Amino acid sequence: MIGEKILRFKSIESTNDFLKVNSKSLANGTIVVSEEQTNGRGRSNHLWISEKGNLYFSFLIKDDVTRMEIFKYIANTSVAIIRLLRGFRIKSEIKYPNDILVEDKKICGILIESYGSLDIKYLVVGVGINVNQQDFKGLNKKATSIKNETNKSRDLDKILNIFIQSYNDVVKIDFNKIFKEYIGYSVVIGKNITNNKKTYLIKGIHKNGNLILENDGKIKYMSLNEISLEELY
Ligand code: BTN
């Protein structure tokens, strides 16, 4: 369960960093949300520009998580977002592993970070949903928002509450079912990828998040870290 405790900020460097620094004193499931971030971070050390009008939040997971299980949190969060968007009649899909797109335009990004050396001590799941932003400057062909898709401004608190409900519903369901749902929304399957000069067909995604690849009738598994995602999309 997430969201029993919610900490709200007007401005913060990064909601992910706040949870990282305060993880010891905060309870499992705590959410931090901020109206803007001055140092919002995306995956691969990218900056996540976080002006007022969109939803920026993170939640803390203190479950006993192994590295092989991190993907479960990626899939649960992605499915919770897709369901939330469906509630606004927005049809979205998942760009592996965890970008949420509407007709090739990004509407939501997820940044999951794990802390602890051998054993994972805790996870921080950060979510940025484009809600009321209409102009993405140079990125209008690559980004969209709930407002751009529905022509209506939305209350950020309400969207956060819908997410909390959606996520808490998803984690109650058997993961095999959620994983199937995730696969159904995923756009990576059937694409080709090259690795060490060999071309592989992406046949599927394993429940631990590895891609299942085929070359010359042989099956190979590849982890997220080994894959260059740039060429996929
Ligand atoms: C990505 O697509 O690269 C992931 C973007 C994640 C952005 C969110 S906004 C709230 C949380 N705090 C951060 O600094 N980043 C995540």
Side-chain angles (χ1 to χ4, degrees):
M1 286 276 283
I2 60 165
E4 265 168 32
K5 184 167 179 150
I6 304 178
L7 303 173
R8 296 170 194 280
F9 290 85
K10 286 214 169 302
S11 184
I12 200 169
E13 280 193 14
S14 154
T15 53
N16 266 42
D17 292 347
F18 180 89
L19 284 181
K20 180 180 166 187
V21 172
N22 296 286
S23 66
K24 279 209 179 103
S25 59
L26 294 171
N28 187 21
T30 300
I31 293 183
V32 177
V33 56
S34 184
E35 287 176 22
E36 63 174 12
Q37 298 182 114
T38 52
N39 191 25
R41 294 184 295 105
R43 281 192 296 124
S44 321
N45 282 328
H46 287 147
L47 198 68
W48 185 261
I49 297 166
S50 310
E51 293 167 7
K52 280 196 173 112
N54 297 323
L55 188 57
Y56 313 107
F57 67 95
S58 305
F59 53 95
L60 182 64
I61 301 284
K62 283 177 146 178
D63 304 345
D64 230 348
V65 186
T66 63
R67 296 212 172 267
M68 297 291 273
E69 285 167 338
I70 293 183
F71 183 70
K72 196 167 131 184
Y73 293 85
I74 294 181
N76 283 342
T77 308
S78 305
V79 168
I81 299 277
I82 298 256
R83 290 179 172 196
L84 174 157
L85 293 171
R86 218 165 41 195
F88 295 106
R89 299 184 188 281
I90 299 172
K91 213 172 148 272
S92 56
E93 42 193 20
I94 301 166
K95 177 176 141 184
Y96 175 86
N98 56 4
D99 285 343
I100 311 296
L101 307 181
V102 178
E103 284 168 5
D104 286 338
K105 292 181 175 179
K106 187 150 161 172
I107 195 162
C108 171
I110 302 167
L111 176 67
I112 301 203
E113 298 178 294
S114 61
Y115 299 98
S117 46
L118 279 179
D119 298 329
I120 293 174
K121 297 236 162 28
Y122 59 95
L123 290 179
V124 172
V125 183
V127 180
I129 307 177
N130 297 333
V131 180
N132 294 319
Q133 186 169 354
Q134 285 186 283
D135 184 9
F136 293 88
K137 288 131 198 166
L139 296 172
N140 281 328
K141 287 205 172 102
K142 289 190 164 175
T144 189
S145 62
I146 295 183
K147 179 159 188 178
N148 280 355
E149 297 301 319
T150 62
N151 283 321
K152 226 177 133 182
S153 292
R154 309 282 168 174
D155 182 86
L156 299 178
D157 254 1
K158 280 197 189 137
I159 309 259
L160 179 61
N161 282 336
I162 299 171
F163 175 80
I164 294 169
Q165 181 75 52
S166 176
Y167 184 86
N168 286 338
D169 285 347
V170 162
V171 294
K172 278 188 210 122
I173 300 168
D174 176 41
F175 183 63
N176 290 312
K177 274 199 182 145
I178 296 300
F179 180 68
K180 264 198 197 137
E181 196 173 330
Y182 173 95
I183 294 290
Y185 301 133
S186 179
V187 291
V188 77
I189 296 161
K191 299 208 168 169
N192 286 314
I193 186 173
T194 44
N195 184 263
N196 286 337
K197 293 187 182 149
K198 269 189 189 170
T199 301
Y200 296 90
L201 172 68
I202 301 173
K203 299 282 283 182
I205 303 170
H206 189 272
K207 242 184 276 169
N208 64 13
N210 286 353
L211 287 182
I212 306 166
L213 308 173
E214 188 196 78
N215 169 279
D216 256 353
K218 284 194 204 106
I219 296 289
K220 180 183 161 88
Y221 291 84
M222 210 180 278
S223 79
L224 250 177
N225 314 337
E226 300 169 74
I227 303 161
S228 156
L229 292 169
E230 304 299 328
E231 65 171 306
L232 279 174
Y233 301 102

